[in-house]
Amino acid sequence: MRLRKSPFKADKIEDNPHSFALRQEEIEFCATKLFNSHSLLITGPRGIGKTSLAKQLQLFYQGESTLLKRCGIDTELPPYLCSFYKCDKTSTLQNMALDIIRNIEQECFLLRRFATGSKKKIKLELNLGLFKAALEDETTASVPASVATSFINGIREVVRAMKILGKSGTCILLDEIDMVKTDINLADFLRLIHEYADHYNIEGLIFVITGQMGTYSRLIKENPSIERMIFHVPLSK
């Protein structure tokens, strides 16, 4: 018997579009929803490949269309700035929003540095101090509406900067959202963000969320209206 290496990497995120095991139906569904500016929730048992799929979807926004072509999809997504936040049992709406804002701010400055290095003159002034201070305020910590308001105001500032950097929007990956304590109303928070984004005409704010089986039911129970804002992508073995 000749031994051969398994293509499955249950212990790490698969970020290589050439090695990613095709889930043709799911990828086509996700690509269609993202192309139409819809957020996604990917659920399934631990180790099934939720985060790997979510990472591949973010690569679409970064100009990596290999997986799309492997699936016979002859369309590219617009360039987005991508952010990542991994949830755990200590995650709150406050630190989640604050860390995402900080991460996006850092990505913006990295992009500016890269563009400047390529002899492209870019004048970028990005000051998120006011919004970060609002998010750090203890009086907003437990109120979803207050956190969402401060977060979306920060995103409005970021959107202006992203346009200067040639980005059409931002894709935020919230990984393992099921780890967040059940006494935190995630659905209300996500609903408010989507509604505020619509009110302020913020285009290109996309969430790709992962969670174990039961996460979608939890969100629907917290707020049934979430189903019209975030599309469910269940993964099975």
Side-chain angles (χ1 to χ4, degrees):
M1 180 180 70
R2 184 176 181 180
L3 300 179
R4 63 188 181 93
K5 289 188 175 181
S6 169
F8 300 105
K9 303 172 183 176
D11 59 336
K12 72 180 290 291
I13 297 173
E14 180 56 82
D15 56 3
N16 184 347
H18 295 279
S19 301
F20 187 79
L22 285 185
R23 288 181 174 271
Q24 184 91 20
E25 185 176 339
E26 289 88 348
I27 293 171
E28 288 178 359
F29 177 84
C30 291
T32 300
K33 294 305 178 186
L34 294 178
F35 188 73
N36 286 281
S37 302
H38 295 304
S39 294
L40 299 169
L41 168 65
I42 304 170
T43 66
R46 193 169 299 282
I48 197 67
K50 301 182 295 295
T51 307
S52 290
L53 175 57
K55 179 62 178 177
Q56 293 295 326
L57 298 179
Q58 282 198 320
L59 289 177
F60 296 166
Y61 285 122
Q62 296 172 314
E64 175 51 77
S65 59
T66 298
L67 190 57
L68 288 172
K69 292 176 181 176
R70 287 180 61 202
C71 293
I73 301 172
D74 189 22
T75 303
E76 293 187 0
L77 269 63
Y80 273 34
L81 186 149
C82 294
S83 176
F84 175 83
Y85 179 86
K86 192 173 187 67
C87 304
D88 60 32
K89 292 180 179 179
T90 67
S91 294
T92 64
L93 298 181
Q94 184 188 31
N95 60 33
M96 187 185 302
L98 186 58
D99 286 349
I100 291 171
I101 287 290
R102 284 171 173 162
N103 183 272
I104 292 176
E105 180 183 37
Q106 183 64 24
E107 290 294 324
C108 281
F109 283 116
L110 287 173
L111 281 172
R112 184 185 65 172
R113 193 176 306 159
F114 175 78
T116 304
S118 62
K119 298 181 180 179
K120 182 180 179 181
K121 293 183 178 180
I122 288 182
K123 183 179 180 181
L124 175 65
E125 295 178 3
L126 181 61
N127 184 7
L128 296 173
L130 180 65
F131 310 117
K132 288 188 289 187
L135 286 168
E136 289 171 341
D137 190 335
E138 291 184 4
T139 61
T140 69
S142 59
V143 184
S146 297
V147 178
T149 300
S150 297
F151 176 78
I152 210 70
N153 283 332
I155 291 295
R156 290 173 70 189
E157 177 73 9
V158 166
V159 167
R160 181 190 63 79
M162 286 191 300
K163 289 181 179 179
I164 297 174
L165 294 166
K167 300 295 181 181
S168 301
T170 181
C171 177
I172 300 167
L173 170 50
L174 295 180
D175 195 29
E176 295 189 2
I177 201 170
D178 56 278
M179 296 293 289
V180 178
K181 293 180 179 179
T182 55
D183 61 345
I184 295 177
N185 195 320
L186 289 168
D188 237 18
F189 177 63
L190 293 168
R191 176 188 64 83
L192 285 164
I193 288 176
H194 281 81
E195 290 182 350
Y196 286 160
D198 183 58
H199 175 76
Y200 291 114
N201 295 315
I202 300 175
E203 297 180 356
L205 175 59
I206 303 295
F207 284 88
V208 176
I209 306 166
T210 74
Q212 289 200 61
M213 296 172 67
T215 303
Y216 186 62
S217 298
R218 169 188 171 177
L219 294 181
I220 292 295
K221 184 177 180 181
E222 290 176 350
N223 196 312
S225 65
I226 201 71
E227 67 177 345
R228 63 182 171 83
M229 301 175 186
I230 300 176
F231 286 84
H232 186 206
V233 187
L235 298 186
S236 64
K237 294 183 180 179

